[in-house]
Amino acid sequence: MANQETAEEPQARPGERYPFLEMARKVLLASIGALALAQDEIEEFVDRLIERGEIAEKEGRQLIHELREKRKAHYEKVEAEIKSRLEHIIARANLASKEDVEALSKKVAELSRKIDRLAKSE
């Protein structure tokens, strides 16, 4: 009998199998970058106002803190909404979740062990 080697298929990146998910990831990353840039510009603007004496330093720091908290809350809300929608899309597409695949892998490994034990006992 010829020795058959099984070549593992290279794992596809998420974007290769599901272009929508890759596109959503890119949009999310771009949004995060835009928010970070806007936050930096706001902080620079507030720093200039403080330097010119147009607002007190304490007020400026409080304003920056409030803006950061609002951005963080908004980001968490958007992230939760995106996650919810993606889960809904995946469920409707009837795709296996990571947990499903892991559970099946465990079952296959257990069955393989049982087969090995039965083969040895014969």
Side-chain angles (χ1 to χ4, degrees), residues 60-118:
R61 299 295 158 226
Q62 180 63 33
L63 177 61
I64 289 173
H65 176 72
E66 288 173 9
L67 290 171
R68 283 181 181 160
E69 291 300 314
K70 285 183 181 180
R71 183 187 72 177
K72 181 180 175 184
H74 178 72
Y75 173 75
E76 289 171 354
K77 181 180 175 184
V78 168
E79 183 179 36
E81 179 67 24
I82 289 172
K83 182 179 178 184
S84 172
R85 288 184 184 200
L86 286 175
E87 287 173 351
H88 178 73
I89 290 168
I90 289 169
R92 287 191 66 196
N94 201 23
L95 300 174
S97 70
K98 181 179 178 184
E99 291 80 16
D100 293 337
V101 173
E102 287 173 355
L104 287 173
S105 294
K106 286 179 183 178
K107 287 181 181 180
V108 167
E110 183 181 329
L111 289 171
S112 293
R113 284 190 299 273
K114 288 181 180 181
I115 289 171
D116 289 344
R117 276 187 264 142
L118 286 173

Side-chain angles (χ1 to χ4, degrees), residues 13-65:
R13 290 184 37 223
E16 293 171 354
R17 286 189 59 199
Y18 308 109
F20 174 79
L21 295 178
E22 182 65 16
M23 182 176 53
R25 185 182 76 78
K26 287 180 181 179
V27 168
L28 182 61
L29 291 175
S31 299
I32 292 169
L35 284 173
L37 181 62
Q39 181 72 33
D40 290 344
E41 289 180 7
I42 289 169
E43 289 180 19
E44 288 176 20
F45 177 72
V46 170
D47 286 340
R48 284 195 304 263
L49 291 176
I50 292 170
E51 287 173 9
R52 293 191 301 212
E54 295 181 25
I55 62 172
E57 184 172 349
K58 185 177 180 181
E59 291 172 340
R61 299 295 158 226
Q62 180 63 33
L63 177 61
I64 289 173
H65 176 72

